[in-house]
Structure formats: structure tokens, C-alpha cells
Amino acid sequence: MKKYSLIYIAKLSFPIFLANVAIPLVGIIDTGLMGNLGNISYLTATSIAANLFSMIFWSFGFLKMGTVGMVSQAHGKNDYNKILDILLRNLFFVIIISLILIFFQFLILNLTLNIFELSKETQNLYQDYFNIRIYSAPGELTLYIITGIFIGLQKTKISSLVVSCFSILNIILSIILVAQYNLNVKGVAYGSLLAGYITSIIFLIYTFFYIKKFINIKIDINNIFNAKQIKYIFHINLNIFIRTILLSFSFLWFIYLSNKIGEEYVAANTILINLVNLAAFILDAYAFATQGLVGYSIGKNDKNLFKLIVKNSFILSAITSIFISIVYLLIHKEIIYQMADIDLIRNLTVDYSIWLIIFPLISSFCYQFDGIFIGASQTVELRNAMIFSSIIYLFISVILTNNFINTGLWISLAIFMILRAVSLYYYFNRIYLRFN
């Protein structure tokens, strides 16, 4: 049991923490690059487009989350042939999904242009970003599979290295293409595109070599496309897909309502959301580590181990969230001023910066519950909890925004986070039924 102490989970989470910090830094750097070009249109276009692709790509987050649960349980049984089948099957899914997205790109583009009320200049910049980023789907979705495989195997240093390489390469390429070659929104889009392909190719090769250490690599078509397995995966992944698309849509809805208030609010809220996401990804390190550990405890049929993992992960998450809030309280203004050079945006962002301090703690609980349920492959409960939370959030966000404008919008997002935690807590005892 000592192996799964607070210190062990913290050590397991630390490399994920380092990698996770790099993920929102991409958004923060991109926001800073666009926010310092002296024109709100650059920041607004990039914000809406980047959030759209976050919603689209993360809607297929089951490629990662479903993989973690299945791989961790196969790892508990030391079944590497099954792990290989999971990898190959999901790569096939990536090819199909990417082709569908690319085929329907013009429909998606026109639909979003009709939804968001943008100036002509912002529309053109948005379209420039969209036309490039859509082709990054194969690379970025493949990274979901690779990170899911290694988190499930409790090799978090490897999964963290994958994410770090992608994020750091993305940042470097974006800075070079924007600052040196003056490509503005095209530069940040090309940065994501190139980083996705380079990183996915390198680590996909590594993944096959890693698995080869345990088994001989043999591609068995019958196993990969086994009807029973595909039905099971479809069941799990469909629930995660519904859950994730609702979660992603909720944040895109936040940007949409910001746009209804005014483009300057899109810019200000984008800066704040990127900093909220930084805190979220730091706290998610514990959730990601918990996914693999929970799946492992279920594979081992060890109920006491499961309880210990859950308790220790919540303690670590709560302590870290309080620390993040204190840091934001002390230096939020300095950070905001580095991310935009327009006084209107700076002042507006500072006016609502209280939410940077509030959000880490109130949102930390839902992140941990997500990790626990994903690791347990309890995807029906994840889906139902998100449906419940999203419906209430969409309803109250309209009412509160109409009455309290941007403050109402932030209040509704905070309520959404609390509802996610409460609704998953309601289902928590169902996980115990998995243990004999």
C-alpha cells in the first residue's frame, strides 16, 4: 500500500504536471502573440478558431480516455497482445475520423461563420486559421492514442514527454512563424499542424518498439476487427464521445456568449480562460495519474487499493489548487499585461480576474472525479453526469448573461464545474460494484 501513498502519486503525477503545463502554454503564447499585434481582430479570430478546434479534436478524446481505461486493465492482467490490438484499432479510427473532418471542412467553416457575429476582417483571419488547422487532425488525434497507451501502462514520463515535445515544438514554431516571418494567424495554425505530425510520427515508431519488448508484433486482422471488441469499444467510446463533445461545446458556448456581448469581451475572456486552463491542466496531472492507478486496482480486484488512491489523489489536488489560487492572487495583473498591449483589453481582463483566483479550487473536484470514472471505464455515468450538468449550464448561462452580462457568464461557468463534481459523486458508489 505504501507504493500508492501521497508521495508515490505525487511522483507519478509530476512528469504529467510538467507536460500538462506545456499544453495551455501553447494557448497562452498564441494569445500573447496575437494580443500584441495591436489589433483585436487577430486575438478574436485566433481565440474562436482555436476553441473550435479544441472542441472538434477533444470531442474525440475517447481515443485517449477510453484507451487509458482499457490499457490499464489489460496491463493489470499483463496482456500486451490486447494492448497492441487497442493501439492498431484506434489508429484505424483516427484515419476514418480525420477523413470525415477534412471532407466536411467547408460545411463546418460556413456553419461557424454563420453562428459567430464577426467583422469582415476577423472573418478573413478566422478562415485563414481554419483552412490550415483542419489538416492537423491525423497528427493531433494520433497523439491522444499514444499518451493514452503510456498513461494506462503507468509510464507517465513517456506520455509526458510526448505532450511536452508537441507543445514545446508548437510554441517554438509559432513564435518563429509569427515573429520572424510575420504570418500572424497562419503562423500559429502552421505551428500546430507541423508540431502534430512531427511528434506523432516519432512517438508512434517508439510505441511499436516499446511493445515489441514484451511480445512479437503480429498484426491479426481478426483480433483488431473482432465484432465483440468493437461493440464493447463503441459502447465505451460513444459515451465518452457524448460526454466530451458536451464538455467542449460548453466552453465554445462560453466564447459564443462572450462574442454576443462584444469582441473585446472575447479577447478578455480568452486571456482569462487560457490562465484557467493552465490551472486545470496542472490539476489534471493528478487525474491522469489516477486514471491508470484506478484501472490497475480494478484489474487487480483490490478495493482497498482503490480507496487509498482516491483519497490521496483528492488531497493532492485540493492542496495544489489552493497554492495556484494564491499565486494568481499575487501576480495575475503582471501576467495579464504581458498577454496584451491594448489598454482596453488589459483593463477589461483585470476587472474579471477574480475568477482566476476562484476557479482552481472549485473545479479541482470535477477533474479528479473524471479521472476516477475514466480509469474505471464507468462511461455511462460520465455521460449522464455531463448531460445533466450541460443542460443546466446552458439554461442558466443565458439567464445570468442577460441579467449580469460578463459576470453572469463567469458565474454560470463556475456552477457548471460544481455540477460536474456533484453529479459524479452521486454515481460514485457504482464503482465499488466492480470489486468482488
Side-chain angles (χ1 to χ4, degrees):
M1 287 295 181
K2 287 184 179 179
K3 183 182 177 184
Y4 298 95
S5 64
L6 284 167
I7 294 174
Y8 176 78
I9 295 176
K11 285 182 177 179
L12 194 64
S13 302
F14 187 69
I16 303 177
F17 158 77
L18 293 177
N20 276 8
V21 168
I23 298 172
L25 278 179
V26 174
I28 290 171
I29 296 296
D30 286 352
T31 299
L33 288 169
M34 298 297 100
N36 284 280
L37 292 178
N39 188 332
I40 294 177
S41 292
Y42 288 114
L43 183 53
T44 303
T46 305
S47 167
I48 295 174
N51 275 279
L52 172 69
F53 280 102
S54 292
M55 189 196 86
I56 292 173
F57 292 158
W58 195 236
S59 295
F60 303 104
F62 61 77
L63 293 166
K64 176 182 179 180
M65 292 179 284
T67 299
V68 171
M70 290 184 288
V71 168
S72 61
Q73 291 171 49
H75 178 49
K77 299 173 184 176
N78 202 33
D79 189 348
Y80 279 85
N81 284 303
K82 188 172 183 179
I83 292 170
L84 175 63
D85 291 340
I86 292 167
L87 171 61
L88 295 173
R89 196 178 293 120
N90 282 349
L91 286 173
F92 174 76
F93 291 155
V94 163
I95 295 170
I96 299 301
I97 292 167
S98 299
L99 289 174
I100 291 171
L101 289 175
I102 292 169
F103 182 79
F104 287 105
Q105 63 176 296
F106 298 111
L107 177 63
I108 299 170
L109 175 61
N110 291 327
L111 180 63
T112 54
L113 285 174
N114 287 327
I115 291 173
F116 289 98
E117 298 174 4
L118 305 174
S119 66
K120 185 64 177 176
E121 182 182 12
T122 305
Q123 278 189 21
N124 292 335
L125 293 169
Y126 172 85
Q127 194 165 346
D128 287 341
Y129 185 102
F130 184 98
N131 290 337
I132 296 167
R133 186 75 186 277
I134 190 69
Y135 290 98
S136 70
E140 294 193 44
L141 294 179
T142 297
L143 291 176
Y144 289 173
I145 300 172
I146 297 170
T147 53
I149 291 283
F150 287 107
I151 291 174
L153 291 170
Q154 296 182 36
K155 298 295 181 181
T156 56
K157 289 182 180 178
I158 300 174
S159 64
S160 301
L161 182 62
V162 175
V163 177
S164 297
C165 287
F166 169 68
S167 301
I168 294 170
L169 185 58
N170 194 340
I171 290 169
I172 292 171
L173 289 171
S174 293
I175 291 173
I176 292 172
L177 294 172
V178 174
Q180 187 168 342
Y181 292 96
N182 299 316
L183 290 178
N184 53 68
V185 295
K186 291 182 179 180
V188 294
Y190 277 125
S192 297
L193 176 76
L194 295 172
Y197 281 111
I198 293 170
T199 310
S200 63
I201 291 170
I202 291 172
F203 282 97
L204 188 57
I205 294 170
Y206 175 82
T207 303
F208 281 109
F209 274 103
Y210 180 87
I211 295 174
K212 192 177 180 181
K213 291 192 295 185
F214 301 93
I215 58 171
N216 291 323
I217 302 291
K218 294 180 180 179
I219 300 177
D220 190 327
I221 300 298
N222 292 327
N223 279 342
I224 296 171
F225 297 105
N226 179 280
K228 184 178 179 181
Q229 282 295 317
I230 289 178
K231 183 179 179 181
Y232 172 69
I233 292 167
F234 182 77
H235 171 70
I236 290 177
N237 288 349
L238 179 62
N239 290 324
I240 295 178
F241 175 76
I242 294 170
R243 172 258 180 196
T244 310
I245 200 169
L246 285 173
L247 176 59
S248 301
F249 176 76
S250 296
F251 282 94
L252 188 62
W253 178 257
F254 180 87
I255 297 298
Y256 169 76
L257 290 180
S258 301
N259 179 241
K260 297 292 285 185
I261 300 171
E263 283 198 9
E264 67 274 18
Y265 283 90
V266 175
N269 284 345
T270 296
I271 293 172
L272 293 174
I273 279 291
N274 275 309
L275 294 173
V276 167
N277 285 342
L278 177 60
F281 276 101
I282 291 171
L283 296 171
D284 255 354
Y286 302 120
F288 288 154
T290 301
Q291 289 173 23
L293 295 175
V294 165
Y296 183 79
S297 69
I298 292 174
K300 288 288 187 183
N301 196 32
D302 192 333
K303 187 176 181 179
N304 290 328
L305 175 60
F306 170 76
K307 288 181 177 179
L308 180 65
I309 290 165
V310 169
K311 182 188 77 172
N312 288 343
S313 66
F314 270 109
I315 291 171
L316 286 169
S317 182
I319 292 171
T320 306
S321 66
I322 293 170
F323 175 77
I324 293 170
S325 292
I326 293 171
V327 171
Y328 276 156
L329 175 64
L330 296 175
I331 62 170
H332 66 274
K333 191 171 182 178
E334 288 77 7
I335 297 172
I336 289 167
Y337 272 53
Q338 289 299 315
M339 294 180 69
D341 62 358
I342 304 168
D343 288 338
L344 171 64
I345 303 305
R346 283 179 170 180
N347 295 333
L348 194 59
T349 307
V350 170
D351 287 344
Y352 293 97
S353 59
I354 184 64
W355 296 104
L356 286 179
I357 302 160
I358 295 172
F359 254 75
L361 182 60
I362 64 171
S363 59
S364 65
F365 300 102
C366 68
Y367 302 148
Q368 283 309 115
F369 275 121
D370 279 348
I372 292 164
F373 278 82
I374 290 167
S377 296
Q378 300 283 122
T379 57
V380 172
E381 291 80 3
L382 276 168
R383 179 201 65 195
N384 292 345
M386 187 58 68
I387 291 172
F388 167 76
S389 303
S390 299
I391 289 173
I392 295 178
Y393 163 66
L394 293 177
F395 179 72
I396 63 172
S397 64
V398 174
I399 296 174
L400 292 176
T401 304
N402 286 338
N403 286 278
F404 303 104
I405 315 175
N406 204 44
T407 298
L409 182 55
W410 279 99
I411 291 173
S412 63
L413 190 62
I415 292 172
F416 175 60
M417 295 295 186
I418 295 170
L419 287 172
R420 288 173 59 194
V422 171
S423 55
L424 285 174
Y425 177 74
Y426 172 79
Y427 289 118
F428 187 69
N429 284 335
R430 292 190 182 184
I431 299 178
Y432 288 125
L433 300 176
R434 300 283 298 279
F435 298 94
N436 297 327

